[in-house]
Amino acid sequence: MANHQLHPLEVNSLTSEPFLRLRNHKNIILTPPRAEDSTVPLYCRYASHTSPILGRIDMISKEHANAWYEKVKTQSDESIAILEAAREVPGPIIVGSCPVRAIRELKDDGTDVYLGDIGIVKVFNGKLLAPPNEANDAEKIAQYLEINNALPLGDEAIVWSIGGTIHF
């Protein structure tokens, strides 16, 4: 029986892996992170004079890639476990993180290629929450972060951040 808590995710019939298919790009899906994702070179963008938008592109170390993978995999697994445990709960529940974030392209032969990652999390840079006249006040920034982090899941006042990586 399908778990309604996973909606709008689909479930791969061969692997039992949940995934989200993009509506207008049916060959692009979001899945939970996989171990092999941490072996793909990760790139990080730093501010630089080379490009005001992208900056300089540097590779992230293997250690940082593994640490990142462990973090996002744990978050994804926890969300999926909560959704599975709530299978019998009649109404939809809200979890603390998105269970799918790895961007993949489906190939005609059924395989997929890892393209990158997209994460949606509560803002962790307090300067983004503070008004410009308080953006350099560490105490005020900490207060704004504390308020945002204390908001319960589902609260419309939460400020979210979207970020990720694309692999070349």
Side-chain angles (χ1 to χ4, degrees), residues 72-84 95 97 99:
V72 298
K73 178 65 172 157
T74 298
Q75 292 171 345
S76 176
D77 288 350
E78 288 172 355
S79 292
I80 292 170
I82 291 167
L83 293 168
E84 287 297 337
V95 293
S97 64

Side-chain angles (χ1 to χ4, degrees), residues 42-80:
L42 290 176
Y43 299 90
C44 184
R45 293 182 176 91
Y46 295 97
S48 162
H49 64 283
T50 57
S51 168
I53 296 173
L54 296 179
R56 187 180 73 241
I57 299 177
D58 293 326
M59 238 157 86
I60 294 176
S61 71
K62 181 67 175 158
E63 292 77 25
H64 284 116
N66 287 335
W68 164 85
Y69 166 76
E70 290 299 327
K71 177 182 176 181
V72 298
K73 178 65 172 157
T74 298
Q75 292 171 345
S76 176
D77 288 350
E78 288 172 355
S79 292
I80 292 170

